[in-house]
Amino acid sequence: MQDYINFAKKNGIQLLEKGRCQFCGAHTRRGVHECIEIFNLDIKHLDFSIPENHIYKFLIVDAHALQHPEIHGRWNNHFHLSRLHLIFKYHMHWTYNLSPKLSDCLNEYKARKPKEHLNPPNVFKRGAITSTDILRNPTTTKESKELIKNWALFVYNTWEAHQKTIDVIAIDFLKKI
């Protein structure tokens, strides 16, 4: 759980202890720390042990990671944006066994483009929905699913400047599966 703190420190990023999340703008009281805690909670009305709900776990992970790229490695953005791209643009039904295959494609891509960097959207402009919305708003399973999908889609759209770049990874992935 403390890895994000060490990563931020190593990269000269000062994590704020109070107020809203300094990256996604979530209405937290303890900044990104609370945002991370919310991310690690179970989502109301969703049982992730049910296979048909797995897609929502992937969407949550991708949306959250892309709203907080400063506390992850730089290739993390490529992975999460590629997965959202495959889900939203190519309508992939994502499963757990596809993630290692995407990682393999990304490793091949990194070898060809070792210096590439995806610059994140400006802070507070990474999607209109944040972790606090996911925690507080849904009252039914259907609402939870819809809100999570919209969260991921809003975040994906904020990274539009990099979707052509990511499409290269997606096409390589699609050729291999």
Side-chain angles (χ1 to χ4, degrees):
M1 181 92 158
Q2 297 295 317
D3 288 343
Y4 75 97
I5 295 171
N6 293 331
F7 185 84
K9 185 184 234 181
K10 180 177 94 175
N11 289 295
I13 298 167
Q14 181 180 357
L15 299 178
L16 305 179
E17 301 291 327
K18 293 183 179 180
R20 62 195 283 200
C21 177
Q22 69 196 79
F23 304 115
C24 72
H27 296 285
T28 58
R29 292 185 185 137
R30 293 180 291 108
V32 68
H33 306 291
E34 186 175 342
C35 218
I36 296 293
E37 287 173 13
I38 292 168
F39 169 73
N40 286 312
L41 295 174
D42 288 333
I43 302 298
K44 286 189 236 175
H45 314 291
L46 275 180
D47 180 354
F48 291 119
S49 68
I50 300 170
E52 65 212 35
N53 289 340
H54 290 174
I55 186 66
Y56 299 100
K57 188 64 169 177
F58 299 125
L59 295 174
I60 288 167
V61 169
D62 294 339
H64 198 274
L66 290 167
Q67 282 186 324
H68 304 86
E70 293 85 354
I71 59 171
H72 301 288
R74 76 178 170 103
W75 289 103
N76 187 66
N77 299 334
H78 287 75
F79 179 87
H80 293 289
L81 189 56
S82 292
R83 186 161 63 187
L84 288 181
H85 191 70
L86 287 157
I87 291 168
F88 290 129
K89 182 175 181 181
Y90 293 103
H91 309 286
M92 292 275 316
H93 174 73
W94 203 263
T95 61
Y96 279 100
N97 68 334
L98 293 174
S99 293
K101 293 175 184 180
L102 178 57
S103 288
D104 290 344
C105 281
L106 182 55
N107 286 336
E108 291 173 15
Y109 181 83
K110 287 191 294 191
R112 294 190 311 266
K113 306 252 186 178
K115 296 183 188 241
E116 186 172 273
H117 184 81
L118 302 181
N119 293 318
N122 292 333
V123 295
F124 302 148
K125 298 195 188 284
R126 298 176 177 168
I129 298 172
T130 66
S131 61
T132 52
D133 298 311
I134 299 299
L135 180 65
R136 296 181 184 131
N137 289 337
T139 58
T140 66
T141 299
K142 183 179 178 184
E143 285 179 11
S144 290
K145 289 177 176 181
E146 188 175 310
L147 189 60
I148 290 166
K149 186 175 181 183
N150 286 334
W151 181 23
L153 187 57
F154 284 148
V155 172
Y156 169 73
N157 286 331
T158 67
W159 286 78
E160 183 179 16
H162 299 295
Q163 289 176 11
K164 285 184 182 178
T165 300
I166 291 305
D167 198 48
V168 172
I169 298 166
I171 290 169
D172 286 348
F173 174 82
L174 291 169
K175 287 178 185 174
K176 291 180 182 188
I177 60 165

